[in-house]
Amino acid sequence: MSTATRSVGAPADLGARYRQVRRFTEELAAPLSAEDQTVQTMPDVSPTKWHRAHTTWFFETFVLGPHVPGYDEVDPAYGFLFNSYYEGVGPRHARPQRGFLTRPGIAEIAEYRRAVDDAMGALLDTGVTPEVAALVELGLHHEQQHQELLLMDIKHVLASNPLRPSYAEADGPPARAEPSPSGDDWIAHPGGVVAVGHDGDGFAFDNEGPRHETLLQPFALRAGLVTNGEWLEFIDDGGYRDPALWMSDGWGAVQSREWQAPEYWIRDSFGWTVQTLAGARPVDPDEPVVHVSWYEADAFARWAGCRLPSEAEWEAVAADRAPAAPDGGTWSLHPRAGGEQWCTEVWQWTASPYAPYPGYQPAAGAVGEYNGKFMVNQQVLRGGACITPPRHTRLTYRNFYYPGSRWPFTGLRLAVDK
Amino acid sequence: MSTATRSVGAPADLGARYRQVRRFTEELAAPLSAEDQTVQTMPDVSPTKWHRAHTTWFFETFVLGPHVPGYDEVDPAYGFLFNSYYEGVGPRHARPQRGFLTRPGIAEIAEYRRAVDDAMGALLDTGVTPEVAALVELGLHHEQQHQELLLMDIKHVLASNPLRPSYAEADGPPARAEPSPSGDDWIAHPGGVVAVGHDGDGFAFDNEGPRHETLLQPFALRAGLVTNGEWLEFIDDGGYRDPALWMSDGWGAVQSREWQAPEYWIRDSFGWTVQTLAGARPVDPDEPVVHVSWYEADAFARWAGCRLPSEAEWEAVAADRAPAAPDGGTWSLHPRAGGEQWCTEVWQWTASPYAPYPGYQPAAGAVGEYNGKFMVNQQVLRGGACITPPRHTRLTYRNFYYPGSRWPFTGLRLAVDK
Amino acid sequence: MSTATRSVGAPADLGARYRQVRRFTEELAAPLSAEDQTVQTMPDVSPTKWHRAHTTWFFETFVLGPHVPGYDEVDPAYGFLFNSYYEGVGPRHARPQRGFLTRPGIAEIAEYRRAVDDAMGALLDTGVTPEVAALVELGLHHEQQHQELLLMDIKHVLASNPLRPSYAEADGPPARAEPSPSGDDWIAHPGGVVAVGHDGDGFAFDNEGPRHETLLQPFALRAGLVTNGEWLEFIDDGGYRDPALWMSDGWGAVQSREWQAPEYWIRDSFGWTVQTLAGARPVDPDEPVVHVSWYEADAFARWAGCRLPSEAEWEAVAADRAPAAPDGGTWSLHPRAGGEQWCTEVWQWTASPYAPYPGYQPAAGAVGEYNGKFMVNQQVLRGGACITPPRHTRLTYRNFYYPGSRWPFTGLRLAVDK
Amino acid sequence: MSTATRSVGAPADLGARYRQVRRFTEELAAPLSAEDQTVQTMPDVSPTKWHRAHTTWFFETFVLGPHVPGYDEVDPAYGFLFNSYYEGVGPRHARPQRGFLTRPGIAEIAEYRRAVDDAMGALLDTGVTPEVAALVELGLHHEQQHQELLLMDIKHVLASNPLRPSYAEADGPPARAEPSPSGDDWIAHPGGVVAVGHDGDGFAFDNEGPRHETLLQPFALRAGLVTNGEWLEFIDDGGYRDPALWMSDGWGAVQSREWQAPEYWIRDSFGWTVQTLAGARPVDPDEPVVHVSWYEADAFARWAGCRLPSEAEWEAVAADRAPAAPDGGTWSLHPRAGGEQWCTEVWQWTASPYAPYPGYQPAAGAVGEYNGKFMVNQQVLRGGACITPPRHTRLTYRNFYYPGSRWPFTGLRLAVDK
């Protein structure tokens, strides 16, 4: 996950925002027991309590340590335990062994959070320089990323349990704010030179810029996301058994990992069910499909006679269709049907490999580690998911995962040449 | 770990023994947090809460279910989660994923134990048939085995944490009840036909019998265990670097696993320290060495110009030297110096591969799974460890581990031909 | 390796070209014994005799079978053994086990080649339709790709032998046709809209088109390739030890594969030597560096304060600097110093992930398998290597390998923003 | 394979024996092409040409080098390439990479053999000391072991080829010298103290001694080997699907390696066929079963209500039934039906783990590497196989393999308690 910033304002209400974001992390952890918060079920997954500590370490390491004279770190060992991948800050605990750490326990981590929050509150109350405000802003966006990871990760943990426990009770039937677009609704774009990337006005991660021009051919994007119903057709048509639909690496993954449906789908004698954070439920054909890898999204698009959009195509159209507050009040535990859903239900795989924009430069120092160092072997996703924290989406946001990843909330939108 | 029995009495105080053994498990778990009790740091290790539940499942499955009319199991899912390896009882959760189970949590497992203890108490209070008494007795010995495993396993868990937490505070300096034998004290035996194995009087696991005669050549055993001081000489003499001392498979393990000292030893600029359940301490040259694999024990013996004893040799001499109550009151968290220590400080690797005695037959039914099914690729250990529960050692006890295992409390005693 | 074509002429001398290309394969195999031609030293490597047979199978399967009435295949089993990855043609022998095939031996494979060449000669002598001519042309380019692979692969095989045998005697000191550019010679380009990709005039693989416009920012490329001398500076400056220079995946490769220098470099007490197809020789600081992975090329560029070029940047400049016959008479066993070397000494890693051009469509049928199915997880290389067969390079040629590959003849050219 | 000796005579005809044994190796290699002789299909397998060179290296290293003044080794590199596992002689080429060596080729290895044979002939013609005679005798027995390995290994190589080539033409229908014993023919033994092991009269490997007494319980052995017909009953009765029949490690192997029949058996729509060195043929129910692992042999015995014999039991009975020349003239490419077959058709798995006899001491020096260093994790086999070279079997011979090995010619004979 990216943490470096290109540009930041110094909002007056930074202290309030700090408290709000930090509190939301604790609210997300609240339904989880000490046992739930400790376990790691695959190397990609981090324990809940590790997320709570790592986000705290970020403020301690990059804000309090350098900018509060005489600040004493809560525990000198935490730097080793809770550094994720910042080589510039020193050695760290091996990622696949985060689940071996039974201590510090959740009580000590709550205490760690309180101590850092107290120090941060005191600092923010006194007013901070723009430089420090930028670091705090970055830390808050970083924590929001981990709020999403926390939910992705605990979903994997709980789904690894044969008891199939829920993270939380379902919050009633999913809302359908607006009718779903028809599968035949396409949004055409004439191509030509378009500008993409963040313009520096407000917060963005460094990988979203520089804003620059690029040249598109004419194309169209589907108005709605690919749905479970369409995915069931793909399955029933033998999509997982036809190598002609797949990238060579994808076909290898299908065979070695025995994929037959999206992650968290289970077929029993009554049909398909899906494990959600709110428990198991029948697969709803109207909902957007979620938890498919890039390989599957790419094969599906080929099966459908379409292709995945490039990230520039996605951004050019989304800028027309969803120009304003893309994420107002839509947070939920599972994607819902209804509307065009540019930034609200699932991250949308693109055809674009994750690579630097022309002129990209990573930020200086360890805080600048690294969007850049992940810019190979991964694919860009655009939009945002139902579990993405409120006010954490942007039309220029570049999310990225390996093409075989299925534990993020990943779906797709189709494109065609015109 | 073996669970099948050959012979058992029906003691009048079975109810009292049941409560005592069950309570001791809970006492062992008491210092551990919910987080501590959940984690699995390698496939061999089981979480503390799994041990607590599995031993309870044993009584529910083999005693309450078959012998209490109308007994309702506490949770039908527990049979799947807490079966260890009894193929005859049905499918089970994969061993390397025991650490993925965050639920049931420790509170639910405590409740599970209470419910089963209540039912068992009611059953035992009414009096039971000899058959049921034998099953209960077996269950108690099974639980004692898991008490030892619980400590071995939590030691590995805590030692995997860079903070190096202790399981419990040290209970004062280790006692030295009697002087250690000299390294030159040897106990000669003339060889000839000796009888070994359990005679059926009192409890034993099925693999300890039938008692039978075997023929020994003249030999001698060292009166004392191999000590840390002797092991340091082996290290300093290049023992871990000379392939001529090692079995071929052992030398492969030295190289691939980069062994340079016993498990849990750490060298820093001040010398060797050892991680114990009571924290780190300097290596004490007088203590028996512990946490060495069979490969290391075998190489050490060769370096010393000796060999490991066969299990029959061990039993023949131990029967002379430690005929009575071998384990009175010696339980501790770490092996101590002093005395001949036949059954008190460390399990002692023997030269004997683990194989059935002549005429061995496993017990019938799933409860008879299985000492027998482990009788290949492992080596026998004799004696008992400081963490072996009181009254759980016997001179005929046949413990067994793979020759590369280092997480049990394993040491050695030397033998020579005469 | 890609085999599908977009466009093809029907040259009058197709029969002569056929014989010439086929003969060159045999000339390349001639110095190799039966033993040399049989072995596979890693999954990426194919045995020499497999290359000889697979290229023959291509003509038999796609030309003779469909287009010669009554043609009988030489051996029905060869379709299974010598299909590389064409899913549309049926199942095939597993790639990592190509080295298990001792039969057919090289004599039977020579016979196979002769039989197919006879049938092809008869077919070509009678004149063929443009469709068949296109398939033959494709088969010849396919065979030329395998000529290069054959040399890459046998280099790996021979270098795996502690005797370090040579493939062939050195052909005298390497020629230096023209002086090397200075490391300070840069070729500036103003950016703007440029057209890239093959225009359909003459043969090209399908992945080279459609020709299309793209938008570039101002930039400059280095006139000369990165040299061994520069690479030695990178090593000496700790390039392989500084994680800040590396992509995250690249740093993982450095550590797990213990890279400290390019593949085939060996350091002894006298300095660095390099194993070439013509034997070991001291590393020549003036020669272009070869056998570096994309990860290394990318890290080197960062260390140098530069970056890798995009493939469009490369093509735009190369079209100016090397517009004509890019490959005349430069074939050799090892890269040589001298000149700008756009298409002559080493394949040049680019910053571009391998992805389809806008509007790309794979050819229909099995012959169209697949440039397309490899368009993820790999990086594009441009130019051509010293071992690339004569007349097999094009300015639009898109070669591709995984970013960790080091056994191709891979080097780099630097770029900077302007 | 074991190479150290305890005792050796100095036969007058040593030169003749040398030539005879050496020639037989070449006869075994004669049907194999250069390609056949080069390949390694799994780490256990060595290439034919490696066997030819390694056995030659043995004479050069242990006889010519130390005992012929001024002897110059044929190639200094061969010591590194052709040392198998003698740590005392220095480093060596990694075993899993023996198949990477294309050079020296078979012509050079033939030349190596000739050069060493010439030097050995000259030495033997002049007469040698008893010490040298003992080394030569050891080298010849070592070479005979490799003659058997050569055939085991090439069988695996050829069976890995989908063309299923034969090593040699079938030599007519297999002979049946004598009627097979009935499955109900058992040979009872009263038990008691018996002497086992080699008495030092004539050649034996060091692991066959010292001869010593051991104590047996009453038992009986089956007169005949277990047959394919019996094995088919085991398969049809679900033997490969019932975990209750298997050792825990064996059941793991059944599942992970998907065993459903002996190695080299293939089921098609016409029934079971078996790949032999002389090609595929239908499974003959009267032939002894071959190519089963110890795990399978042990499970079969349990299914049959029997057990495997201990090696002492085997030797005690065999000494009565087959006291004289156990191996006269029975060499063949595949086991045949008929007779009791103590030492003639298949190696017979025993219940005995491979461990040292009481008082065992390995020979001194590198030549004494090592029967001893393999004495853990393996099981003893007794008897001899159809491909064991003439005059290479002994009633005291202790062969040994890991319990999961299936590529040796391994079968079984049943035992029961009395």
PDB file of all heavy atoms in Angstrom, chain A residues 245-247 249-251 253 257 259 293-300 349 403-404, chain C residues 376-377:
ATOM      1  N   LEU A 245      -9.259 -18.912 -23.422  1.00  0.00           N
ATOM      2  CA  LEU A 245      -9.715 -17.641 -22.856  1.00  0.00           C
ATOM      3  C   LEU A 245      -8.678 -16.980 -21.962  1.00  0.00           C
ATOM      4  O   LEU A 245      -8.851 -15.816 -21.582  1.00  0.00           O
ATOM      5  CB  LEU A 245     -10.993 -17.866 -22.029  1.00  0.00           C
ATOM      6  CG  LEU A 245     -12.199 -18.385 -22.799  1.00  0.00           C
ATOM      7  CD1 LEU A 245     -13.322 -18.740 -21.840  1.00  0.00           C
ATOM      8  CD2 LEU A 245     -12.675 -17.329 -23.804  1.00  0.00           C
ATOM      9  N   TRP A 246      -7.644 -17.691 -21.613  1.00  0.00           N
ATOM     10  CA  TRP A 246      -6.786 -17.261 -20.516  1.00  0.00           C
ATOM     11  C   TRP A 246      -5.395 -16.863 -20.971  1.00  0.00           C
ATOM     12  O   TRP A 246      -4.832 -17.449 -21.885  1.00  0.00           O
ATOM     13  CB  TRP A 246      -6.655 -18.400 -19.495  1.00  0.00           C
ATOM     14  CG  TRP A 246      -7.955 -18.751 -18.836  1.00  0.00           C
ATOM     15  CD1 TRP A 246      -8.963 -19.507 -19.360  1.00  0.00           C
ATOM     16  CD2 TRP A 246      -8.398 -18.317 -17.543  1.00  0.00           C
ATOM     17  NE1 TRP A 246     -10.006 -19.576 -18.459  1.00  0.00           N
ATOM     18  CE2 TRP A 246      -9.697 -18.868 -17.340  1.00  0.00           C
ATOM     19  CE3 TRP A 246      -7.845 -17.531 -16.533  1.00  0.00           C
ATOM     20  CZ2 TRP A 246     -10.429 -18.640 -16.176  1.00  0.00           C
ATOM     21  CZ3 TRP A 246      -8.567 -17.319 -15.368  1.00  0.00           C
ATOM     22  CH2 TRP A 246      -9.841 -17.859 -15.200  1.00  0.00           C
ATOM     23  N   MET A 247      -4.817 -15.895 -20.262  1.00  0.00           N
ATOM     24  CA  MET A 247      -3.392 -15.681 -20.324  1.00  0.00           C
ATOM     25  C   MET A 247      -2.694 -16.983 -19.894  1.00  0.00           C
ATOM     26  O   MET A 247      -3.226 -17.733 -19.072  1.00  0.00           O
ATOM     27  CB  MET A 247      -2.969 -14.569 -19.357  1.00  0.00           C
ATOM     28  CG  MET A 247      -3.368 -13.184 -19.816  1.00  0.00           C
ATOM     29  SD  MET A 247      -2.312 -12.651 -21.194  1.00  0.00           S
ATOM     30  CE  MET A 247      -3.495 -11.611 -22.032  1.00  0.00           C
ATOM     31  N   ASP A 249      -0.133 -17.433 -17.919  1.00  0.00           N
ATOM     32  CA  ASP A 249       0.061 -17.453 -16.466  1.00  0.00           C
ATOM     33  C   ASP A 249      -1.261 -17.672 -15.731  1.00  0.00           C
ATOM     34  O   ASP A 249      -1.298 -18.292 -14.668  1.00  0.00           O
ATOM     35  CB  ASP A 249       0.678 -16.138 -15.985  1.00  0.00           C
ATOM     36  CG  ASP A 249       2.145 -16.007 -16.361  1.00  0.00           C
ATOM     37  OD1 ASP A 249       2.741 -16.979 -16.859  1.00  0.00           O
ATOM     38  OD2 ASP A 249       2.702 -14.915 -16.146  1.00  0.00           O
ATOM     39  N   GLY A 250      -2.324 -17.129 -16.279  1.00  0.00           N
ATOM     40  CA  GLY A 250      -3.634 -17.294 -15.655  1.00  0.00           C
ATOM     41  C   GLY A 250      -4.106 -18.733 -15.726  1.00  0.00           C
ATOM     42  O   GLY A 250      -4.640 -19.267 -14.753  1.00  0.00           O
ATOM     43  N   TRP A 251      -3.879 -19.372 -16.863  1.00  0.00           N
ATOM     44  CA  TRP A 251      -4.274 -20.763 -17.002  1.00  0.00           C
ATOM     45  C   TRP A 251      -3.489 -21.640 -16.021  1.00  0.00           C
ATOM     46  O   TRP A 251      -4.025 -22.584 -15.423  1.00  0.00           O
ATOM     47  CB  TRP A 251      -4.079 -21.223 -18.450  1.00  0.00           C
ATOM     48  CG  TRP A 251      -4.553 -22.612 -18.721  1.00  0.00           C
ATOM     49  CD1 TRP A 251      -3.825 -23.676 -19.134  1.00  0.00           C
ATOM     50  CD2 TRP A 251      -5.904 -23.094 -18.581  1.00  0.00           C
ATOM     51  NE1 TRP A 251      -4.619 -24.784 -19.265  1.00  0.00           N
ATOM     52  CE2 TRP A 251      -5.894 -24.464 -18.927  1.00  0.00           C
ATOM     53  CE3 TRP A 251      -7.107 -22.506 -18.174  1.00  0.00           C
ATOM     54  CZ2 TRP A 251      -7.053 -25.253 -18.893  1.00  0.00           C
ATOM     55  CZ3 TRP A 251      -8.262 -23.276 -18.138  1.00  0.00           C
ATOM     56  CH2 TRP A 251      -8.224 -24.647 -18.498  1.00  0.00           C
ATOM     57  N   ALA A 253      -2.515 -20.647 -13.117  1.00  0.00           N
ATOM     58  CA  ALA A 253      -3.132 -20.425 -11.807  1.00  0.00           C
ATOM     59  C   ALA A 253      -4.440 -21.198 -11.679  1.00  0.00           C
ATOM     60  O   ALA A 253      -4.733 -21.781 -10.628  1.00  0.00           O
ATOM     61  CB  ALA A 253      -3.367 -18.926 -11.586  1.00  0.00           C
ATOM     62  N   ARG A 257      -4.231 -23.802  -8.669  1.00  0.00           N
ATOM     63  CA  ARG A 257      -5.015 -23.394  -7.509  1.00  0.00           C
ATOM     64  C   ARG A 257      -6.466 -23.876  -7.606  1.00  0.00           C
ATOM     65  O   ARG A 257      -7.274 -23.590  -6.744  1.00  0.00           O
ATOM     66  CB  ARG A 257      -4.916 -21.878  -7.363  1.00  0.00           C
ATOM     67  CG  ARG A 257      -3.451 -21.458  -7.112  1.00  0.00           C
ATOM     68  CD  ARG A 257      -3.169 -19.999  -7.421  1.00  0.00           C
ATOM     69  NE  ARG A 257      -3.756 -19.103  -6.463  1.00  0.00           N
ATOM     70  CZ  ARG A 257      -3.576 -17.781  -6.455  1.00  0.00           C
ATOM     71  NH1 ARG A 257      -2.792 -17.238  -7.391  1.00  0.00           N
ATOM     72  NH2 ARG A 257      -4.160 -17.032  -5.564  1.00  0.00           N
ATOM     73  N   TRP A 259      -9.063 -23.119  -9.363  1.00  0.00           N
ATOM     74  CA  TRP A 259     -10.144 -22.139  -9.360  1.00  0.00           C
ATOM     75  C   TRP A 259     -11.328 -22.637 -10.184  1.00  0.00           C
ATOM     76  O   TRP A 259     -11.168 -23.085 -11.322  1.00  0.00           O
ATOM     77  CB  TRP A 259      -9.655 -20.822  -9.975  1.00  0.00           C
ATOM     78  CG  TRP A 259      -8.718 -20.046  -9.121  1.00  0.00           C
ATOM     79  CD1 TRP A 259      -8.509 -20.159  -7.777  1.00  0.00           C
ATOM     80  CD2 TRP A 259      -7.849 -18.980  -9.554  1.00  0.00           C
ATOM     81  NE1 TRP A 259      -7.566 -19.253  -7.348  1.00  0.00           N
ATOM     82  CE2 TRP A 259      -7.146 -18.523  -8.421  1.00  0.00           C
ATOM     83  CE3 TRP A 259      -7.601 -18.381 -10.784  1.00  0.00           C
ATOM     84  CZ2 TRP A 259      -6.211 -17.484  -8.478  1.00  0.00           C
ATOM     85  CZ3 TRP A 259      -6.661 -17.350 -10.851  1.00  0.00           C
ATOM     86  CH2 TRP A 259      -5.980 -16.909  -9.713  1.00  0.00           C
ATOM     87  N   SER A 293      -9.660 -12.564  -9.487  1.00  0.00           N
ATOM     88  CA  SER A 293      -8.304 -12.135  -9.827  1.00  0.00           C
ATOM     89  C   SER A 293      -8.308 -11.394 -11.167  1.00  0.00           C
ATOM     90  O   SER A 293      -9.273 -11.465 -11.931  1.00  0.00           O
ATOM     91  CB  SER A 293      -7.394 -13.355  -9.940  1.00  0.00           C
ATOM     92  OG  SER A 293      -7.835 -14.175 -11.008  1.00  0.00           O
ATOM     93  N   TRP A 294      -7.218 -10.728 -11.466  1.00  0.00           N
ATOM     94  CA  TRP A 294      -7.063 -10.116 -12.779  1.00  0.00           C
ATOM     95  C   TRP A 294      -7.140 -11.167 -13.873  1.00  0.00           C
ATOM     96  O   TRP A 294      -7.730 -10.947 -14.925  1.00  0.00           O
ATOM     97  CB  TRP A 294      -5.733  -9.363 -12.868  1.00  0.00           C
ATOM     98  CG  TRP A 294      -5.553  -8.618 -14.157  1.00  0.00           C
ATOM     99  CD1 TRP A 294      -5.934  -7.338 -14.421  1.00  0.00           C
ATOM    100  CD2 TRP A 294      -4.971  -9.112 -15.378  1.00  0.00           C
ATOM    101  NE1 TRP A 294      -5.631  -6.996 -15.717  1.00  0.00           N
ATOM    102  CE2 TRP A 294      -5.037  -8.070 -16.324  1.00  0.00           C
ATOM    103  CE3 TRP A 294      -4.411 -10.328 -15.744  1.00  0.00           C
ATOM    104  CZ2 TRP A 294      -4.544  -8.211 -17.627  1.00  0.00           C
ATOM    105  CZ3 TRP A 294      -3.930 -10.474 -17.033  1.00  0.00           C
ATOM    106  CH2 TRP A 294      -3.994  -9.420 -17.966  1.00  0.00           C
ATOM    107  N   TYR A 295      -6.528 -12.333 -13.606  1.00  0.00           N
ATOM    108  CA  TYR A 295      -6.559 -13.391 -14.622  1.00  0.00           C
ATOM    109  C   TYR A 295      -8.005 -13.753 -14.974  1.00  0.00           C
ATOM    110  O   TYR A 295      -8.339 -13.966 -16.137  1.00  0.00           O
ATOM    111  CB  TYR A 295      -5.844 -14.641 -14.117  1.00  0.00           C
ATOM    112  CG  TYR A 295      -4.362 -14.471 -13.898  1.00  0.00           C
ATOM    113  CD1 TYR A 295      -3.769 -14.883 -12.699  1.00  0.00           C
ATOM    114  CD2 TYR A 295      -3.534 -13.940 -14.883  1.00  0.00           C
ATOM    115  CE1 TYR A 295      -2.406 -14.766 -12.495  1.00  0.00           C
ATOM    116  CE2 TYR A 295      -2.169 -13.815 -14.685  1.00  0.00           C
ATOM    117  CZ  TYR A 295      -1.602 -14.215 -13.486  1.00  0.00           C
ATOM    118  OH  TYR A 295      -0.254 -14.090 -13.290  1.00  0.00           O
ATOM    119  N   GLU A 296      -8.830 -13.842 -13.938  1.00  0.00           N
ATOM    120  CA  GLU A 296     -10.234 -14.194 -14.187  1.00  0.00           C
ATOM    121  C   GLU A 296     -10.966 -13.044 -14.881  1.00  0.00           C
ATOM    122  O   GLU A 296     -11.770 -13.266 -15.799  1.00  0.00           O
ATOM    123  CB  GLU A 296     -10.927 -14.523 -12.857  1.00  0.00           C
ATOM    124  CG  GLU A 296     -10.468 -15.832 -12.239  1.00  0.00           C
ATOM    125  CD  GLU A 296     -10.852 -15.955 -10.780  1.00  0.00           C
ATOM    126  OE1 GLU A 296     -10.235 -15.248  -9.940  1.00  0.00           O
ATOM    127  OE2 GLU A 296     -11.763 -16.733 -10.462  1.00  0.00           O
ATOM    128  N   ALA A 297     -10.715 -11.824 -14.444  1.00  0.00           N
ATOM    129  CA  ALA A 297     -11.370 -10.679 -15.063  1.00  0.00           C
ATOM    130  C   ALA A 297     -11.007 -10.591 -16.547  1.00  0.00           C
ATOM    131  O   ALA A 297     -11.854 -10.356 -17.411  1.00  0.00           O
ATOM    132  CB  ALA A 297     -10.965  -9.393 -14.341  1.00  0.00           C
ATOM    133  N   ASP A 298      -9.727 -10.803 -16.842  1.00  0.00           N
ATOM    134  CA  ASP A 298      -9.258 -10.755 -18.229  1.00  0.00           C
ATOM    135  C   ASP A 298      -9.894 -11.867 -19.060  1.00  0.00           C
ATOM    136  O   ASP A 298     -10.315 -11.640 -20.203  1.00  0.00           O
ATOM    137  CB  ASP A 298      -7.724 -10.880 -18.213  1.00  0.00           C
ATOM    138  CG  ASP A 298      -7.122 -11.055 -19.588  1.00  0.00           C
ATOM    139  OD1 ASP A 298      -7.086 -10.066 -20.333  1.00  0.00           O
ATOM    140  OD2 ASP A 298      -6.694 -12.186 -19.911  1.00  0.00           O
ATOM    141  N   ALA A 299      -9.974 -13.075 -18.494  1.00  0.00           N
ATOM    142  CA  ALA A 299     -10.574 -14.191 -19.236  1.00  0.00           C
ATOM    143  C   ALA A 299     -12.063 -13.950 -19.449  1.00  0.00           C
ATOM    144  O   ALA A 299     -12.604 -14.253 -20.515  1.00  0.00           O
ATOM    145  CB  ALA A 299     -10.345 -15.503 -18.472  1.00  0.00           C
ATOM    146  N   PHE A 300     -12.722 -13.403 -18.427  1.00  0.00           N
ATOM    147  CA  PHE A 300     -14.143 -13.121 -18.562  1.00  0.00           C
ATOM    148  C   PHE A 300     -14.380 -12.121 -19.701  1.00  0.00           C
ATOM    149  O   PHE A 300     -15.278 -12.293 -20.531  1.00  0.00           O
ATOM    150  CB  PHE A 300     -14.709 -12.563 -17.255  1.00  0.00           C
ATOM    151  CG  PHE A 300     -16.166 -12.204 -17.368  1.00  0.00           C
ATOM    152  CD1 PHE A 300     -17.140 -13.125 -17.019  1.00  0.00           C
ATOM    153  CD2 PHE A 300     -16.579 -10.962 -17.835  1.00  0.00           C
ATOM    154  CE1 PHE A 300     -18.492 -12.811 -17.142  1.00  0.00           C
ATOM    155  CE2 PHE A 300     -17.917 -10.637 -17.956  1.00  0.00           C
ATOM    156  CZ  PHE A 300     -18.878 -11.570 -17.609  1.00  0.00           C
ATOM    157  N   TRP A 349     -10.504  -3.997 -11.938  1.00  0.00           N
ATOM    158  CA  TRP A 349      -9.251  -4.320 -12.626  1.00  0.00           C
ATOM    159  C   TRP A 349      -9.185  -3.566 -13.956  1.00  0.00           C
ATOM    160  O   TRP A 349     -10.169  -3.519 -14.687  1.00  0.00           O
ATOM    161  CB  TRP A 349      -9.179  -5.808 -12.936  1.00  0.00           C
ATOM    162  CG  TRP A 349      -8.915  -6.712 -11.785  1.00  0.00           C
ATOM    163  CD1 TRP A 349      -9.783  -7.621 -11.247  1.00  0.00           C
ATOM    164  CD2 TRP A 349      -7.687  -6.851 -11.064  1.00  0.00           C
ATOM    165  NE1 TRP A 349      -9.175  -8.308 -10.221  1.00  0.00           N
ATOM    166  CE2 TRP A 349      -7.883  -7.861 -10.090  1.00  0.00           C
ATOM    167  CE3 TRP A 349      -6.436  -6.231 -11.132  1.00  0.00           C
ATOM    168  CZ2 TRP A 349      -6.882  -8.252  -9.194  1.00  0.00           C
ATOM    169  CZ3 TRP A 349      -5.450  -6.623 -10.241  1.00  0.00           C
ATOM    170  CH2 TRP A 349      -5.668  -7.615  -9.284  1.00  0.00           C
ATOM    171  N   PRO A 403      -1.648  -9.971 -10.287  1.00  0.00           N
ATOM    172  CA  PRO A 403      -2.791 -10.436 -11.092  1.00  0.00           C
ATOM    173  C   PRO A 403      -3.463 -11.696 -10.549  1.00  0.00           C
ATOM    174  O   PRO A 403      -4.574 -12.009 -10.972  1.00  0.00           O
ATOM    175  CB  PRO A 403      -2.175 -10.687 -12.485  1.00  0.00           C
ATOM    176  CG  PRO A 403      -0.708 -10.742 -12.281  1.00  0.00           C
ATOM    177  CD  PRO A 403      -0.399  -9.921 -11.075  1.00  0.00           C
ATOM    178  N   GLY A 404      -2.819 -12.399  -9.632  1.00  0.00           N
ATOM    179  CA  GLY A 404      -3.452 -13.580  -9.047  1.00  0.00           C
ATOM    180  C   GLY A 404      -4.175 -13.311  -7.740  1.00  0.00           C
ATOM    181  O   GLY A 404      -4.747 -14.237  -7.158  1.00  0.00           O
TER     182      GLY A 404
ATOM    183  N   VAL C 376       1.192 -10.442 -19.864  1.00  0.00           N
ATOM    184  CA  VAL C 376       1.093 -10.013 -18.472  1.00  0.00           C
ATOM    185  C   VAL C 376       2.344 -10.517 -17.752  1.00  0.00           C
ATOM    186  O   VAL C 376       2.903 -11.550 -18.130  1.00  0.00           O
ATOM    187  CB  VAL C 376      -0.195 -10.557 -17.801  1.00  0.00           C
ATOM    188  CG1 VAL C 376      -0.188 -12.074 -17.699  1.00  0.00           C
ATOM    189  CG2 VAL C 376      -0.419  -9.920 -16.436  1.00  0.00           C
ATOM    190  N   ASN C 377       2.823  -9.761 -16.808  1.00  0.00           N
ATOM    191  CA  ASN C 377       3.958 -10.141 -15.950  1.00  0.00           C
ATOM    192  C   ASN C 377       5.312 -10.104 -16.648  1.00  0.00           C
ATOM    193  O   ASN C 377       6.300 -10.512 -16.040  1.00  0.00           O
ATOM    194  CB  ASN C 377       3.778 -11.551 -15.365  1.00  0.00           C
ATOM    195  CG  ASN C 377       2.583 -11.648 -14.458  1.00  0.00           C
ATOM    196  OD1 ASN C 377       2.243 -10.696 -13.757  1.00  0.00           O
ATOM    197  ND2 ASN C 377       1.929 -12.796 -14.434  1.00  0.00           N
TER     198      ASN C 377
END
